[in-house]
Amino acid sequence: MGKKIVIVGGVAGGATTATKLRRLDEQAEIVLFERGEFISFANCGLPYHISGVIEDRKKLLLQTVESMNARYNLDIRNFSEVTAINREEKTVSIKHVQTGDEYTESYDVLVLSPGAKPIVPPIEGLKSANVFTLRNIPDMDKIKAYLEDNKPNNAVVIGGGFIGLEMAENLVHAGVNVTLVEKLPQVMGPVDPEMAAIVEDELRKNGVELILGDGITDVLEDGTKVVLESGKVLESELIILSIGVRPENKLAADSGLELGERGGIKVNEYLQTSDESIYAMGDAIEVTDYINGQPTMIPLAWPANRQAHIVGHHINGRNIAYPGTLGTSIVKVFELTAATTGNSEKLLRRLGIQYDVVHIHPLSHAGYYPGAEQISLKVIFDRETGKIFGAQAVGKDGVDKRIDVIATAIKGGLSVYDLQELELAYAPPFSSAKDPVNMAGYVASNIVDGTIETVQHYEVDELLQDGAFMIDVRTEKEHADGKIEGSKNIPLDDLRNRLDELPKDETILITCQVGLRGYLASRILQQNGFKVKNLTGGYKTYSIFKNKLQ
């Protein structure tokens, strides 16, 4: 018999580790403990079964205990909670959830993949029968049954992260009026405010009442009233709590394994804990941010699966280092897609890392081919070197592939110059001859080269108050339909004939609709001896940000 490996947790990381171990070693004894009934289920699909978008519940059950045991010759024990790790004896204590029976099991190697649990504030009213969190199949079944049995008219979703947004959408699809409450001043924490604002508009357009910058303080009258920090009281026939997750670290902490500042289990590059015979992975661990090198917690499915692969190999003598987590993520919000990779602007600012930004708003494919949709794409980079720090995109079509390309570029060590060089698939139904990723590369490279200087949407109002001179190079009609107060309208095609209206002794700010005409104007003016700065993303980005503040 080979070495004995005990795995705690049977969802993404645990189940993947077990199957990888078997593929690498037919002789190993592999025991997997899962305290719930289900293993290897598609937890990212849970909100979509609640609304009926995914009709067949069985499709979420990727493997059963029986099928996995048979195919991989594993010893899977569900309804079995590991209650303690006895590191000196190299045993774990197990309690059978249904019978209460307790016993110990020895291990040569222990793998911890317990995941993370939803944060539930210590509010008595959150114990009401109409309050739910969503982590697993039983949670999903309870919410779906509650909807079918009680047919609530309204629901309050607490938290505007990925699960909160997905639950808000799916409850609307199920015919429920939804109020979404988020303590931060924006939904989707990993993205920047002006990008989140596009998602917020989409939520409101679909009937979701959005309350931002306000948190929950109490739940009254059997869960029928939610009291917010502002004093506002919401009616609530159904409450979904999705304010975040905490790593399941009790086993690790009780056994003296080292934890990070935010409670994640500390691991080395091979996912070993402070005890080299114990590995940990997934939502329970502290990872290194791939961009800035700082410790962080990023509970996503891709890292858990990749870490499982690395653990399986390391146990079998092959050293593959985990380089850190990029945090690439995506969410569907009604007709919109919002995606991000790498670091946000607000995170870099908080860490004191110097960066620059471009916003562009290209079409998802050639404008003359039917169905082209505008993408709002933001790329954050190092002005000195062109290194890409991160990107965010929001739109109805083509968002996923642009963020995936940029995530790949970051992993490949490419710079904004290289984005210009990417030869991407083009035909009118799919893209443009210059793909949006190429366009972002061109604009960012102009900044790194010093061909153009930019100003950001959140800087404009203060600059204008301080007496800055701004021209809007859109048409007179566009300017009349909506403008930055204080800007002077000189359409691009008239600009060369009206240079005498511009001051030579100060920097001129330029805006257009999305930034392109502003760039053309800046080239004209620079070559005529003017100092200029172009508003990145143009009036489009400015107006999104401005509307959010109102």
Side-chain angles (χ1 to χ4, degrees):
M1 205 69 177
K3 63 172 73 106
K4 182 175 180 181
I5 302 144
V6 168
I7 301 169
V8 179
V11 192
T16 305
T17 304
T19 57
K20 184 69 187 175
L21 284 165
R22 177 56 73 223
R23 289 195 296 275
L24 293 171
D25 183 358
E26 189 62 24
Q27 265 61 57
E29 184 182 354
I30 303 166
V31 185
L32 187 151
F33 292 106
E34 167 55 49
R35 70 181 169 199
E37 178 181 357
F38 302 98
I39 57 156
S40 191
F41 59 86
N43 47 5
C44 296
L46 302 179
Y48 301 99
H49 179 62
I50 289 167
S51 65
V53 170
I54 297 172
E55 289 180 28
D56 187 352
R57 178 178 176 276
K58 287 199 200 77
K59 287 186 175 174
L60 298 174
L61 304 173
L62 306 178
Q63 292 277 4
T64 65
V65 172
E66 295 72 28
S67 68
M68 245 177 103
N69 274 343
R71 176 158 293 182
Y72 293 100
N73 186 25
L74 304 171
D75 181 356
I76 301 176
R77 306 178 200 175
N78 58 349
F79 294 119
S80 299
E81 181 172 9
V82 177
T83 56
I85 303 168
N86 317 301
R87 285 167 54 195
E88 285 188 17
E89 296 86 31
K90 291 186 92 166
T91 64
V92 288
S93 303
I94 296 102
K95 179 179 181 180
H96 195 279
V97 173
Q98 292 169 314
T99 64
D101 292 345
E102 297 186 27
Y103 63 98
T104 61
E105 192 76 36
S106 65
Y107 66 82
D108 296 318
V109 178
L110 180 63
V111 179
L112 302 178
S113 183
K117 59 187 173 188
I119 295 169
V120 180
I123 295 170
E124 192 61 30
L126 290 175
K127 296 174 183 169
S128 305
N130 68 331
V131 180
F132 302 92
T133 57
L134 181 60
R135 182 191 180 190
N136 52 34
I137 297 280
D139 291 344
M140 176 190 76
D141 290 341
K142 284 177 197 159
I143 296 169
K144 193 162 175 61
Y146 189 87
L147 284 169
E148 288 167 358
D149 295 345
N150 296 276
K151 299 189 169 41
N153 290 314
N154 65 67
V156 176
V157 176
I158 315 281
F162 292 112
I163 293 175
L165 293 175
E166 289 169 351
M167 279 306 304
E169 176 184 348
N170 282 284
L171 286 170
V172 168
H173 287 328
V176 182
N177 295 313
V178 176
T179 301
L180 190 148
V181 179
E182 170 54 58
K183 190 170 169 63
L184 293 173
Q186 66 168 84
V187 299
M188 264 193 94
V191 306
D192 290 312
E194 77 280 12
M195 305 300 284
I198 308 169
V199 176
E200 291 157 10
D201 283 348
E202 181 74 2
L203 289 162
R204 293 189 186 100
K205 217 163 56 181
N206 284 277
V208 175
E209 185 188 348
L210 212 50
I211 300 174
L212 301 173
D214 206 351
I216 179 175
T217 58
D218 212 348
V219 175
L220 306 173
E221 298 178 30
D222 294 330
T224 58
K225 286 186 172 24
V226 175
V227 183
L228 303 182
E229 290 168 357
S230 61
K232 191 176 174 86
V233 178
L234 306 173
E235 301 293 320
S236 54
E237 293 173 57
L238 166 66
I239 299 171
I240 303 290
L241 199 58
S242 57
I243 58 176
V245 294
R246 279 201 188 96
E248 287 270 20
N249 62 11
K250 188 173 187 314
L251 269 180
D254 288 352
S255 66
L257 295 176
E258 201 177 336
L259 303 180
E261 272 182 32
R262 286 192 280 173
I265 303 167
K266 277 202 163 192
V267 293
N268 65 13
E269 61 189 330
Y270 304 117
L271 289 314
Q272 288 170 299
T273 66
S274 49
D275 181 330
E276 64 178 20
S277 63
I278 303 177
Y279 294 77
M281 71 179 78
D283 298 356
I285 68 169
E286 180 183 87
V287 294
T288 300
D289 186 299
Y290 184 81
I291 297 292
N292 61 55
Q294 299 291 313
T296 186
M297 304 279 296
I298 302 179
L300 293 169
W302 186 91
N305 279 281
R306 178 61 185 156
Q307 290 156 13
H309 179 89
I310 289 169
V311 167
H313 274 295
H314 196 260
I315 289 170
N316 281 279
R318 186 179 172 205
N319 296 345
I320 305 171
Y322 185 69
T325 303
L326 198 51
T328 307
S329 54
I330 191 164
V331 65
K332 175 186 176 296
V333 183
F334 296 99
E335 288 187 33
L336 277 187
T337 304
T340 179
T341 189
N343 285 181
S344 65
E345 180 180 1
K346 61 188 177 186
L347 175 58
L348 291 169
R349 195 184 304 144
R350 196 164 71 234
L351 294 173
I353 296 171
Q354 292 297 308
Y355 64 88
D356 218 314
V357 166
V358 294
H359 289 88
I360 61 171
H361 301 277
L363 293 175
S364 57
H365 61 247
Y368 54 80
Y369 187 88
E373 298 284 356
Q374 195 167 59
I375 297 172
S376 292
L377 175 60
K378 175 177 187 174
V379 177
I380 308 152
F381 57 97
D382 184 336
R383 185 174 189 150
E384 300 300 314
T385 65
K387 176 184 174 180
I388 305 164
F389 290 139
Q392 299 162 31
V394 184
K396 289 185 179 178
D397 178 53
V399 163
D400 52 344
K401 73 174 178 179
R402 271 69 193 213
I403 288 298
D404 283 345
V405 167
I406 296 173
T408 307
I410 293 172
K411 279 284 180 148
L414 305 187
S415 71
V416 293
Y417 289 112
D418 297 307
L419 296 185
Q420 301 172 102
E421 297 288 351
L422 294 177
E423 194 173 333
L424 302 170
Y426 161 61
F430 305 104
S431 183
S432 300
K434 274 192 291 201
D435 187 86
V437 172
N438 298 139
M439 289 297 301
Y442 282 114
V443 178
S445 298
N446 283 335
I447 293 173
V448 179
D449 287 341
T451 311
I452 187 170
E453 286 203 38
T454 56
V455 63
Q456 286 250 60
H457 55 278
Y458 52 77
E459 299 172 310
V460 167
D461 285 353
E462 194 174 331
L463 287 168
L464 288 173
Q465 283 165 14
D466 291 343
F469 186 89
M470 174 174 253
I471 59 169
D472 186 331
V473 298
R474 296 177 300 163
T475 64
E476 288 179 14
K477 182 180 184 311
E478 285 175 295
H479 190 255
D481 287 345
K483 60 182 180 290
I484 298 174
E485 290 302 326
S487 62
K488 177 183 176 74
N489 184 215
I490 304 180
L492 176 63
D493 295 346
D494 300 342
L495 184 59
R496 289 183 182 88
N497 300 320
R498 295 176 63 177
L499 297 178
D500 57 347
E501 298 177 33
L502 306 177
K504 280 254 182 176
D505 57 347
E506 62 177 295
T507 298
I508 299 167
L509 307 182
I510 306 172
T511 183
C512 63
Q513 186 61 21
V514 297
L516 176 58
R517 282 173 286 177
Y519 169 62
L520 299 176
S522 74
R523 296 307 300 146
I524 293 168
L525 294 182
Q526 277 181 315
Q527 291 173 78
N528 278 281
F530 293 92
K531 288 182 292 185
V532 295
K533 283 190 177 183
N534 190 26
L535 173 59
T536 180
Y539 181 71
K540 172 91 175 171
T541 297
Y542 173 86
S543 60
I544 291 165
F545 178 72
K546 195 72 175 167
N547 289 340
K548 180 175 174 58
L549 297 181
Q550 290 168 354

